[in-house]
Each structure stands twice: as C-alpha cells, then as structure tokens.
Amino acid sequence: MKQKETLLTTSLSEQKIELSHLIIEEMGDEHKASSVDTPMRADAFDKTDEEKIAIIEPHFRAIMETLGMDLNDDSLRGTPLRVAKMYVKELFQGLNPANMPSMTLFENKFQYNEMLVEKNINFYTNCEHHFVPFFGKAHVAYISSGKVIGLSKLNRLVEYYSKRPQVQERLTMQIGKALQTVLQTQDVAVFLDAKHLCVASRGVKDDSSNTITSFYGGKFQEENTKAEFLKYLDINA
Ligand SMILES: [Zn+2]
C-alpha cells in the first residue's frame, strides 16, 4: 500500500514537471517577456570574454556532433570556435554593461525645443526564445529638456540593447528607459517595426507579418504629440 502511494506521488509530481515545462515552452513561443531587465545571473561577468569563448566552443561542437555532423570536414571544423567568438564578441556583447556606449550630452544652445525624430535606424538582434534573428527599423524621438545628444549616439544605444538575446517588447522598453535616463526627460518615444525569423522560417512560417512595438513617455502620451511623431514616421496607427 505504502509503495503504491509513493508511486502515485512520483507520477503526479512528474506530471507537474512536464506541465510546467510545457507552459514555459509555450510562453517562449508566444514571445512573452518576464521583465524589463534582461534576466542575468549574479556571476554573469566573473569570466573574461576569452574564458567564455573557450567554454562555448566545445558545447557548440557537441551540438553539431549530436546532430550527426562530421567536424573533421574542412568546412565545419572552424564553426564551433567561430560561433563562440561571434556570440561573445558580437551578437551578445551588449549583455555586458561595460560595453554601453558613452552618452555625452550637450547644452541645447539653439534652444530647439521641438520634437527630434531619428528614424529608420536599422537593428539586428536575436530572439531569446529561439536564438534566431529578428531585425527591422527603430524610430526614436525626444523633446529636449535643455540637453541634446549626438545623433549617432541614438543609433549606438539601439545597437547596444540589440546585442543581447531579446524579445521585442523588452528591447523597445530598454531603449526608451535608457533614453529617458540619459536625456533627463520623460519625453521619449520609441517605435520598432521588425521581422522575426522564428516566425518566418519555422513555426507558423509566416514571412509576411511584421511586429510593431512602441514606448511613449511623458508628452508622447498626449494624443497630439504622439500623432505628430507617427506622422513623421508616415504610419497611421
Ligand atoms: Zn522566437
């Protein structure tokens, strides 16, 4: 009798594990983000980039070998190291706050206090649920509170937050909140229009859809300011 009880408990808890795994997997496929901050471990930067590359290389080799690929082939031999370097030094270098671009502000000498829009900033990032790219255009705007920023810094900031495993909602909010902090104003808008390869090349295989996300702070929450911003983007939303 006792044994049966134990069996029942085990199978119940196994079911539970399976269920929560399923929920987590589904959550990933729906691309739901859990928080504005990228979820990071406390020891995220204890290792150097070189140490991380040395660890990732054999792991990626194991993935390829498990898939049945012959790593003795000249074309494949260098791939594990190439991928490890690309992850650490390029695609995901924005995980490290040390790589945040410096954001120098200038006094707004011209007293320009209208809206400034920087549109069509190309960005490339990777979906944190599938590790395949999503990419598109970012449009950002702000109304100066007395300080201005070099225009290229807006591109750099978008790029910095793109160089992380991402979800589009979080990327949008991270850019928006960082701009609010840097520019010392709430009056910031961010608009992202992106194509997700995890939707286009797999899953539902819809390659015609785009995903739009936006962030409106301060005055941009007012209908006329928001409408002016969208008018510059040539978008009726
Ligand atoms: Zn995805």
Side-chain angles (χ1 to χ4, degrees), residues 28-29 31 127-132 196 198-199 202:
D29 251 355
H31 294 100
C127 157
E128 72 179 16
H129 299 127
H130 300 95
F131 273 55
V132 293
H196 291 245
C198 56
V199 177
R202 56 162 294 285

Side-chain angles (χ1 to χ4, degrees), residues 1 21 28 36 55 58 82 104 107 112 121 147 152-153 167 202 205 237:
M1 206 54 202
H21 180 73
V36 178
I55 293 168
R82 203 175 296 120
T104 325
E107 290 301 323
Y112 178 80
I121 301 171
K147 308 267 187 197
S152 68
K153 298 291 183 186
V167 287
R202 56 162 294 285
K205 294 191 175 156

